[in-house]
Structures are given as structure tokens and as C-alpha cells.
Amino acid sequence: MTATTLKQTILQHMNQQSSSATKTLNLLSIGQRGVGKTVFLAGSYIELHSGFTAERPQKLWFDSHNSQEQEKIEKVLNYITQTGQYPPPTMKIANFNFSLKRHGWWKTKTLCDFSWWDLPGESCDFNNPKYQKLVLSSHGCCAFINAEALVNNAAYLPQLTQTIDQVAAIASLVNQHNIKYAIALVFTKCDLLAPEPLSLLQIEEKIQPLLSRLDAAKTNYQKFYSAIPLVTFAGVPQLKPTGAATPILWLVSELKRLHQTQPKQDLGSGLKQQLLSPVEQTFIFKQMLGSKSLPLILSGIGILGVVGIAVTSLWGGKPLAIAPKAASDTDSKIQAYEQLLQNDPGNFDALVELANLRIQQGQPNLAIPLMEKLVRQEPERLELQLNLAQLYKLTEQLPKAESTYDRVLLQEKDNVAALVNKALIRVEQGDRQTANRLFSQAEKAAPPNLKAKVRDIAKNSLSSRE
């Protein structure tokens, strides 16, 4: 869809909406420091704030709500004209409130109000309480990716992990709870790339992991390629945006369409309506923090950390027992998660949390079916299979534990955790030859700082059986 066609579609959507007053739409911006979020906002404002002409009677434009709002955006624009440079990266969270208006032949019509949060890159962190609040109050978001760096800098894509995880986590949450939400993916600094199809193909190829996750979550998203060069006209430096405002126009239009037949709900309100009690909200930002925060706790089972994967240590050949914890609010949490799973049996995070609670209460046998369901949902996640194998070992279901470790090793033949744990089982079964071979393989595969630890486990477990 071309920018012109998209704008026509947006305007058509806007004309079909009710003219009655609407709640302000909160638009979140996600992206690293220096990706161009502030330039994007300034370019969008410039493009849509030029005056009315007879040739363009239905032109859309942003209007600041008051003089203070106007001063904030003009401060950015004045910096550009005075220095001839793009504005520096945002240093603190700034809020811009606009009305989207349309020129008509006889009058001006306010289509909607929206609030844009311009965030420093380091603030875009789900561990940040302020950012959490902004996420939950948002109706949609723009996620920014530096297209020039993506194509030309091999080190850039790994740096995008946090941004990709954040966008995917929001998309997953929206999908799980059937919340009306829209995401605009904005590829900035496209004016620094060669204007040829190859550049677009390279962008598409490198960002495919994110697109696959969004597609899997059935996300309502659109991709945009932003070019806002800085030029000098009549001796005055200025931005020259072309189609820069299209992402915001699409986002606002799409949100108005989604909420046309019912009151607008931000992300937090949608969750409150869907969730059964405040207890369920405890794992919302655990999900957003990414998959690394989700593996089971399994503390107290005698775990040794090896390359980020839990390894059960069987000192003396027997698993360490879990002491049941005193009941406090744990029972009420368990009841809440069980009730949530009755309505949503496949809720990944609820399964994780409930399994953890069962383990903490000294009931690993009740955690096993939960872990089995998690593994069936995401069989490619090795940490889930390793946790399930640990539970099998803890409940002395050694054949099941060993077969689970075998499945892990089929996927990753040098997985240190699976090798060590399978070796420990072989020790228990009296198969020292196989155990020695597995320990040797694990030591060879382990990183240098953990090789000695693997040797110690092997030495202690083998000597205990002599």
C-alpha cells in the first residue's frame, strides 16, 4: 500500500467516525536512544501543520492543546533551524498533547485528541515503574528501528533484542486477552539508504524474527519506512519530511476504527476487565520482561547454575527434599491461578506461576502436569524441558527424567545441563561407563569458568557410589 493510498484510506476512516467528543488516545513510543523518535514527531508535526489551501481542502494537521504544548514542539524545531543539526536524544520523558484536525470547506473538525509520549531509550524498560504505567495506559504504540544501522551494521541487530522482546510481549499480551490495540513499526533514517528494492529486502530479512512473533500473535500492525532528511532552504536548515506522519495517522485511524462500537480501553483497562482478580496481574510484567524471567524457580531442589540452565545436584545420590512452606497468601494465589486456567487452560504465564507455587509448597507432583503442558505448548524451549526433567528426578521418576534429557540432547547435543543430569542418573543406575562419557562430554562443552565445577560434580557423584 503506497503512502498516498494509505492516507486516502485513513481519511475515509476518519470521515466515517462519529464527530462526538472522544477520549484521548495514548500513543507509546518504543526504541533505543538515538533511533530518531523525536525527529519522527517533529517531522510529522511539520508535514501536517502547513496551512490550508484550496487544492487540499481536507488536509489533516496536528494542533497543540495550549501554548505550553506549542512551546515544547517549537523548541525542538528551533533547535534544528538554529544549529543545522538534528535534535539530541531525549534526556527525559516528555508528553506532547495534540488534536488531529481536518480542514473542511466551511469549518475545521477535530477528529480526535491524542497524547504522544517521547521517551529516552533507557526508559524503555519494563523494569521501570514509570514505563510500566505508560505501557498500561497506552492504546497503541510506535516501535522504532534504525533502518540504516539494521542494513549496514552487523552489530546492530543483537542490540535490538530488548526492543523486539518488548514489542512481542505487548503483542502476546494483547492477543491472549483479546484487547484492541495497534502497533506501528517505524524504520527510521531510510533517507540514508540507497533508494532501491534491495534495501527494503534487507530490512525485511533482518527483522523477520520480530515479524514472525507478531504474526504468530495475530498482531494488528503495519510497517512504515521513514525518511526525514535535514536540508537547507534559502539558507535556513529544516526538516524535509515526506510521508513522515503516515504512521501516526494510520495508528490513530486504526484505533478509532477498533473502538468505534465500544468505549475506548487502554491496555491496563483491558487487562483489568479480562483478569479475574488483582493476583493475575503479578505476572503481566514478568511476561513483558521476556522469556528469561519465566523459567520455574525450583529453588531448594539443590540447583547448580551451569551456563544459565539449572542443573540438579544429587549429593549422596538422593534428591534434596523440599520443605513445605507455611501457607500465607499462597493458597489464595493458587486458587486465583486455578480459576484463571479454568477459563484459559493454555495461559502460559499462569501455568508457570502455579507450577512455582506448587513447588514452593512442597508439592512437585502437582507441578508436573503443569510443566508437561508448558512443554507441549513450547517444545523448542529447552529450559522448560530441563525443569520438567528436574521435577521427574525429584519425584524419583528417573526413566521419565532420562528420556526428557534425551529429548533435550536431540535438540542440542552439547547441552551441559542435560549431559550432567543424565550422567547423574546413570550413576544412580550403576552405569559408570556411560556416566563417565557424559561427564567428559559435559566438561568439554562447558565454558572455561565452569569446567572445574563439572569435574567436581563428576568426582563427588562417582565417589559416592564406590
Side-chain angles (χ1 to χ4, degrees), residues 347-379:
N347 189 300
F348 184 90
D349 300 285
L351 289 167
V352 170
E353 295 294 336
L354 184 55
N356 272 321
L357 291 170
R358 289 301 189 188
I359 291 167
Q360 292 168 22
Q361 283 203 325
Q363 300 172 324
N365 57 311
L366 297 181
I368 286 175
L370 302 170
M371 274 304 307
E372 290 174 335
K373 182 175 287 190
L374 287 166
V375 169
R376 287 195 295 271
Q377 279 191 29
E378 300 195 13

Side-chain angles (χ1 to χ4, degrees), residues 19-237:
S19 61
S20 60
T22 59
K23 179 182 176 182
T24 299
L25 293 169
N26 296 322
L27 308 183
L28 180 70
S29 64
I30 298 176
Q32 296 174 311
R33 173 181 285 272
V35 73
K37 299 188 294 292
T38 304
V39 173
F40 167 80
L41 179 63
S44 300
Y45 180 85
I46 290 171
E47 186 176 42
L48 292 182
H49 203 256
S50 57
F52 166 81
T53 63
E55 291 76 21
R56 302 178 71 183
Q58 296 198 90
K59 181 173 175 59
L60 302 171
W61 93 101
F62 297 163
D63 196 11
S64 302
H65 281 184
N66 52 51
S67 59
Q68 290 181 335
E69 296 289 336
Q70 186 69 25
E71 287 175 6
K72 284 193 293 186
I73 191 68
E74 287 185 354
K75 184 178 180 180
V76 175
L77 301 178
N78 288 338
Y79 179 92
I80 294 169
T81 57
Q82 292 171 7
T83 66
Q85 299 177 354
Y86 289 111
T90 301
M91 299 300 294
K92 62 180 181 179
I93 296 175
N95 175 231
F96 295 85
N97 294 297
F98 295 106
S99 294
L100 179 61
K101 297 186 176 183
R102 190 191 70 228
H103 283 301
W105 285 107
W106 307 109
K107 64 179 181 179
T108 296
K109 181 179 180 181
T110 298
L111 300 174
C112 75
D113 297 321
F114 70 93
S115 182
W116 171 273
W117 291 95
D118 191 19
L119 308 174
E122 62 272 17
S123 295
C124 298
D125 184 345
F126 285 132
N127 284 305
N128 180 351
K130 290 183 179 179
Y131 186 56
Q132 292 181 8
K133 185 176 180 180
L134 293 178
V135 171
L136 291 177
S137 66
S138 67
H139 297 88
C141 76
C142 284
F144 293 87
I145 296 170
N146 184 334
E148 188 276 332
L150 187 66
V151 171
N152 296 323
N153 184 357
Y156 180 67
L157 186 57
Q159 298 171 11
L160 279 179
T161 300
Q162 183 178 19
T163 299
I164 290 174
D165 286 346
Q166 288 180 354
V167 176
I170 291 175
S172 176
L173 199 62
V174 166
N175 181 45
Q176 289 176 30
H177 299 282
N178 196 29
I179 298 170
K180 297 186 183 301
Y181 201 88
I183 297 175
L185 297 182
V186 183
F187 296 95
T188 62
K189 306 185 182 182
C190 289
D191 49 293
L192 301 179
L193 293 172
E196 55 185 27
L198 180 60
S199 296
L200 295 181
L201 289 174
Q202 289 174 311
I203 293 172
E204 290 282 330
E205 178 187 17
K206 294 192 174 185
I207 207 62
Q208 198 56 229
L210 172 58
L211 301 183
S212 296
R213 294 170 72 176
L214 294 180
D215 290 337
K218 301 178 182 178
T219 309
N220 181 15
Y221 74 96
Q222 183 77 264
K223 292 172 292 183
F224 301 91
Y225 303 93
S226 177
I228 309 178
L230 181 58
V231 301
T232 299
F233 181 74
V236 180

